[in-house]
Amino acid sequence: MGEKVKLSEALEQTASALAMFDSDALEELTVRLNAAADGLVEVEREPIEAIKARQRILAEVLIATEQSINILRGLRERKARNEWAL
Amino acid sequence: MGTLVSALNIANEALAADQSALNITANNVANQNTPGYTREVPNFTTQDTYLISGYEQANGVSAGTPTSVRDRVLEQRLQQQTQTASASSTLETALNDVQSIFGLTASSTSTSVTQLGTSVNDFFSSLTALANDPSEAATRQQVLSSASSLATTLNSASSQLNQITSSLNNEAVSIVGQVNQLLGTIASLNGRIATQNPEQDAGVLEDQRQQAIAQLSQYIGLDQITTSQNGIELTTSNAGLLVTANLSYPLTASIVNGVVQITAGPNNVNVTSGTAGALTGGTLGGTLEALDTSIPPIKANLDTLAYSIATAVNTQNEAGVDAYGNPGAALFTIGTSSTGAAGTIAVAVTDPNLVAAAGVGEGSSGNTNATALAALGTANIAGGDTATGYLATSLAAIGSATANATNDSTLQSATLTQLTSQVNALSGVSLDEEASNLTEYQRSYEAASQLFSIIDTLFASALNFGVVTSVT
């Protein structure tokens, strides 16, 4: 079990991939971290600050994305129903 | 703290990139029905990495400037086709108007059914009737009545042709006004783009400029050249300068002696049809073609017909003797040349006894000259043809020109529709496509949420409790 995963890096990569809506990269990350959860890949120890800082970042990006998607969905639905004139 | 600061920076970049992509999609959806709006796509770029304590640090992503999905070659092709189609459509409309003057339709171009054809036939029939019964007052009166009817019909056709010409002249002047307004708009947009987006696609400003050029293409044939600072230089299709940088050179239009004259460029070069640098394309090009190429020969043929009939009949009537026993005089008032003859031809006499039916020396009751007058109906008196034959050829030419214009317009319109579809497929906003983007965003969001949860469960195993660590 030589391969290791660093959570701070995984969080950063997740935020970056989400920013680009790169679903393929996110799925690759999911596979790797599921392997870590199954004990197939070692989780590298690192400072709590590094993980928490990047966790907070990802959380912010997730919240912003969710809000934007909801707005976008509403916009599209109203547009599709021709509910307003632009 | 370097790592935390850089991490926050990455977060900001990520949030901005994320928000930018969503905004672009929202903008595309919102502008779906905006004329000329070109769909934009986000351009994600990975920021340069940097080293801290010997370790390479990623610096996140940025959205960069969105790119409008446009194809300049296709756009220019569309503009050129718009110019051609507009010109064809304008010419078709003008020729249809002309055709209707003569009572022609797309399915019927027979001379005999037209009012002018009927008038010519009736006039020569009245002369044949006179030859058969020269002493009958009613047949003499019928000659003058049918002559009057022929003159009036020719006057009316000439007048209507002049009205169409006048209307097209005014239309040309009106189009020039609209062209000049658009030239000013494009020059102004050139200036703004040079200031704000000199090195890249100018997005909405570019859309506005393309929209203005597309409108201009409906009015006038033009060429465009891309210049420095993302500028566009416009010339007429014959190189007359219209716009360069933020400067526009308005066309001037004036009507001199019933003829429209248009000049272009800084040196006010005459670009009216028939000149070396003549304007072509667009409604203005079509209008000028109708004015200078299509209608003049029709007017000339009508004048030739009027002049030929009048001079032949006058000459023959002057060779005979009227009912009073006097030498015959001219039956028609006509000018000394064919120019404008159809508009001015009139019957010169009101007394039916002045029709010279008799030949010289046979007394006033003879019919020799009436027979000769009637024979003019089958004589080659107009352009080497009989009057009815000349009219038939002229009307057939009008019908043929109109049919050709209609066919050409239909073809150009179909080609334009196809090109428009291609451009719209490339740059138009598709709600389906934007919905697909939304689905992709949702998929990424769900994957990232799942990753967040997985990492949270792994959190404890990653902590380094009780061990001195350093933030790298």
Side-chain angles (χ1 to χ4, degrees), chain B residues 18 63 109 164 195 233-235 238 258 275 277 300 317 350 374 421:
Chain B
D18 176 299
T109 56
I164 288 177
T195 306
E233 187 171 287
L234 295 179
T235 67
N238 283 307
T275 59
N317 201 60
T350 54
S421 299

Side-chain angles (χ1 to χ4, degrees), chain B residues 294-452:
Chain B
S294 303
I295 294 178
I298 297 170
K299 290 175 76 170
N301 285 352
L302 194 64
D303 286 339
T304 297
L305 180 69
Y307 186 75
S308 300
I309 292 174
T311 52
V313 168
N314 284 350
T315 302
Q316 192 60 53
N317 201 60
E318 286 164 356
V321 175
D322 65 22
Y324 299 114
N326 297 321
L331 279 184
F332 289 106
T333 301
I334 197 78
T336 54
S337 76
S338 66
T339 306
T344 56
I345 187 173
V347 176
V349 297
T350 54
D351 182 356
N353 288 326
L354 293 179
V355 178
V360 175
E362 65 176 356
S364 59
S365 59
N367 72 345
T368 306
N369 202 53
T371 302
L373 282 167
L376 293 175
T378 54
N380 294 335
I381 59 170
D385 202 349
T386 63
T388 52
Y390 186 80
L391 176 61
T393 303
S394 300
L395 293 184
I398 296 170
S400 174
T402 308
N404 286 342
T406 300
N407 290 339
D408 187 51
S409 179
T410 304
L411 171 66
Q412 302 301 348
S413 175
T415 307
L416 179 61
T417 302
Q418 193 180 46
L419 267 172
T420 305
S421 299
Q422 285 177 27
V423 171
N424 285 344
L426 179 71
S427 62
V429 177
S430 158
L431 274 183
D432 289 343
E433 188 171 339
E434 300 307 334
S436 166
N437 287 344
L438 186 57
T439 304
E440 185 62 25
Y441 300 157
Q442 184 68 33
R443 185 176 157 221
S444 294
Y445 170 76
E446 286 168 1
S449 299
Q450 190 185 358
L451 274 165
F452 189 91

Side-chain angles (χ1 to χ4, degrees), chain B residues 197-219:
Chain B
N197 304 79
E199 305 299 338
Q200 59 198 17
D201 190 285
V204 172
L205 288 179
E206 180 66 41
D207 285 348
Q208 289 175 1
R209 185 168 64 180
Q210 287 304 322
Q211 182 72 0
I213 294 174
Q215 284 180 34
L216 192 60
S217 296
Q218 292 176 12
Y219 297 132

Side-chain angles (χ1 to χ4, degrees), chain A residues 12 19 21 23 26-27 33-34 43 45-46 51 53-55 57 62 64-66 68-69 72-73 76 79 86, chain B residues 3-4 7 11 14-15 18-19 22 26 30 44 58 435 440-445 451-452 454 456 459 462-463:
Chain A
E12 184 179 310
F21 298 111
S23 296
L26 289 167
E27 281 173 13
L33 286 164
N34 274 331
V43 177
R45 289 174 179 267
E46 57 182 323
I51 299 173
R54 285 168 172 79
Q55 227 175 7
I57 291 165
L62 278 167
T65 303
E66 184 183 14
S68 299
I69 286 175
L72 193 55
R73 184 178 289 115
R76 190 189 171 280
K79 180 74 182 175
L86 291 164
Chain B
T3 301
L4 185 57
L15 276 171
D18 176 299
Q19 193 61 50
L22 293 163
F44 293 112
E440 185 62 25
Y441 300 157
Q442 184 68 33
R443 185 176 157 221
S444 294
Y445 170 76
L451 274 165
F452 189 91
I454 295 169
D456 199 42
F459 191 71
L463 296 183

Side-chain angles (χ1 to χ4, degrees), chain B residues 111-126 142-143 145-154 305 309 332 387-388 391:
Chain B
T111 313
S112 61
V113 301
T114 67
Q115 190 181 355
L116 189 53
T118 303
S119 295
V120 171
N121 286 335
D122 285 353
F123 176 63
F124 287 112
S125 295
S126 73
Q142 185 56 37
V143 169
S145 297
S146 59
S148 178
S149 173
L150 174 60
T152 304
T153 305
L154 285 165
L305 180 69
I309 292 174
F332 289 106
T388 52
L391 176 61

Side-chain angles (χ1 to χ4, degrees), chain B residues 39 44 47 58 82 93 107 143 182 210 223 250 260-261 313 319-320 377 381 410 439 443 447 460 466:
Chain B
R39 177 167 56 91
F44 293 112
Q47 301 289 77
T82 302
T93 303
S107 58
V143 169
L182 286 165
Q210 287 304 322
D223 286 329
V260 71
Q261 288 191 351
V313 168
I381 59 170
T410 304
T439 304
R443 185 176 157 221

